[in-house]
Amino acid sequence: MNIRTNEEVRLALEEGRPVVALESTIISHGMPYPRNVETALNVERIIRENGAVPATVGIIDGVGVVGMTEDEIEEFGKRGGIAKVSRRDLPIIVAKKAWGATTVATTMILANMAGVEIFVTGGIGGVHRGATETMDISADLQELAHTNVSVICAGAKAILDIPLTLEYLETFGVPVLGYQTDDFPAFYTRSSGVKVEYRADSPLEVAEIIKAKREMKLDGGVLIGNPIPEEDSLDPQIMNAAIDKALACAKKDGIKGKEVTPYLLAKVKDITNDSSLDSNIKLVYNNARLGAQIACELCKNR
């Protein structure tokens, strides 16, 4: 597969400087225009301010791009019909020379191809509620098990079954860290009520864990759960009620497969009068700061 890196990212990788990958699904499928573009550019700015080089990942005319330009991010934000691309979709989108927005899984794949080890997102996909009947489990989890890119997130998306998601990750040997917390975060809220086995309290400690895994030649990423800042978190009871209502709407409307997550997030946004979107943006900013700091420490410790 053809991979194109922009000059800034290419030079940083050649010189051993820190680079942080960013997904494009959050731009094309996660937020309305122009707020999606504003958020994406702000995330890049935050990463630069914290000493790393941002590399927003997408697929343009069948070519994997690691480090999109500002104009390309703008186009992703306003262009309709961009496919949401996970691992199974990747060869099709490439062969058809189409545009594609990368999910967590596909961003990890392309970042790994380019040599980028750290990836910042909002929340990972996981085991959906009711998966014992639907078998709806995100490809993100298998990618974390096999692809050598570590992911900073605000936990799994709150619309998911978080206990089952963590159980799945444990089964496939993915280290899960709580950053300065003993609880796995739940995206809009600081705690899912599920304990993590391990916590890390500094970017250096996280970097040392990632380095140890690489030196042991254990494939797969490390998942770092970074709780949303207290001032930006939402009331768990309000959020759970909104999610339950959104799930009922999805069932009524027959929403399935990869359309479930964007549908539910949009419904929750409407139900909460956009407060969930505001929190979503703030948690991504928070993750960007931490991701850049971890990338910097990882470069120092090579």
Side-chain angles (χ1 to χ4, degrees):
M1 177 183 179
N2 288 332
I3 295 288
R4 169 166 63 84
T5 58
N6 69 27
E7 188 71 6
E8 182 186 20
V9 172
R10 184 183 64 79
L11 283 174
L13 291 170
E14 287 179 357
E15 295 168 2
R17 292 186 284 116
V19 179
V20 176
L22 301 163
E23 65 167 284
S24 47
T25 293
I26 196 171
I27 305 171
S28 61
H29 293 77
M31 299 178 190
Y33 180 82
R35 204 162 183 193
N36 50 3
V37 174
E38 293 168 2
T39 300
L41 296 178
N42 281 336
V43 170
E44 289 205 341
R45 175 183 54 78
I46 290 167
I47 286 170
R48 287 194 176 93
E49 288 173 352
N50 283 272
V53 173
T56 300
V57 177
I59 302 166
I60 297 176
D61 296 328
V63 176
V65 179
V66 180
M68 292 201 294
T69 66
E70 187 170 328
D71 286 344
E72 287 167 342
I73 290 172
E74 176 76 21
E75 186 66 19
F76 261 79
K78 65 184 181 183
R79 184 183 182 119
I82 294 179
K84 181 182 176 183
V85 181
S86 192
R87 172 177 274 268
R88 69 165 189 179
D89 312 298
L90 190 54
I92 299 165
I93 298 301
V94 169
K96 288 180 176 291
K97 295 181 170 50
W99 284 55
T102 55
T103 61
V104 168
T106 319
T107 304
M108 291 179 70
I109 292 168
L110 298 183
N112 187 53
M113 287 180 178
V116 180
E117 297 182 69
I118 298 296
F119 165 37
V120 161
T121 187
I124 62 163
V127 180
H128 279 263
R129 301 186 191 193
T132 50
E133 295 178 5
T134 65
M135 294 298 291
D136 192 349
I137 300 172
S138 171
D140 296 354
L141 303 187
Q142 278 293 309
E143 217 59 56
L144 279 161
H146 300 297
T147 300
N148 297 339
V149 173
S150 293
V151 180
I152 295 86
C153 66
K157 294 182 175 73
I159 56 177
L160 303 171
D161 188 318
I162 292 178
L164 285 184
T165 297
L166 292 175
E167 190 67 37
Y168 191 103
L169 289 169
E170 180 184 353
T171 298
F172 285 93
V174 179
V176 178
L177 308 176
Y179 186 73
Q180 298 181 349
T181 181
D182 295 312
D183 294 338
F184 192 68
F187 202 60
Y188 302 117
T189 58
R190 291 179 59 81
S191 174
S192 62
V194 182
K195 297 291 183 183
V196 290
E197 293 287 334
Y198 303 102
R199 66 180 282 163
D201 291 310
S202 71
L204 175 59
E205 191 175 356
V206 175
E208 287 175 338
I209 292 167
I210 295 170
K211 183 185 176 187
K213 186 172 188 184
R214 295 289 166 261
E215 288 175 343
M216 297 171 71
K217 301 191 184 303
L218 296 173
D219 285 337
V222 174
L223 183 66
I224 302 98
N226 183 35
I228 185 173
E230 185 74 55
E231 62 271 20
D232 301 314
S233 64
L234 300 179
D235 185 291
Q237 291 185 329
I238 293 174
M239 284 311 304
N240 285 332
I243 290 166
D244 287 343
K245 187 173 180 180
L247 286 165
C249 290
K251 185 175 182 180
K252 179 183 176 184
D253 293 344
I255 305 299
K256 296 179 181 178
K258 64 182 180 181
E259 300 304 322
V260 170
T261 296
Y263 176 94
L264 291 176
L265 292 176
K267 277 291 182 186
V268 169
K269 178 181 80 72
D270 291 342
I271 293 166
T272 61
N273 296 316
D274 286 356
S275 62
S276 65
L277 178 58
D278 294 337
S279 291
N280 191 347
I281 291 169
K282 294 295 179 59
L283 66 84
V284 174
Y285 292 167
N286 190 48
N287 293 342
R289 280 185 284 271
L290 178 59
Q293 292 163 7
I294 292 169
C296 289
E297 293 293 348
L298 193 59
C299 284
K300 291 178 190 175
N301 277 275
R302 279 199 175 97

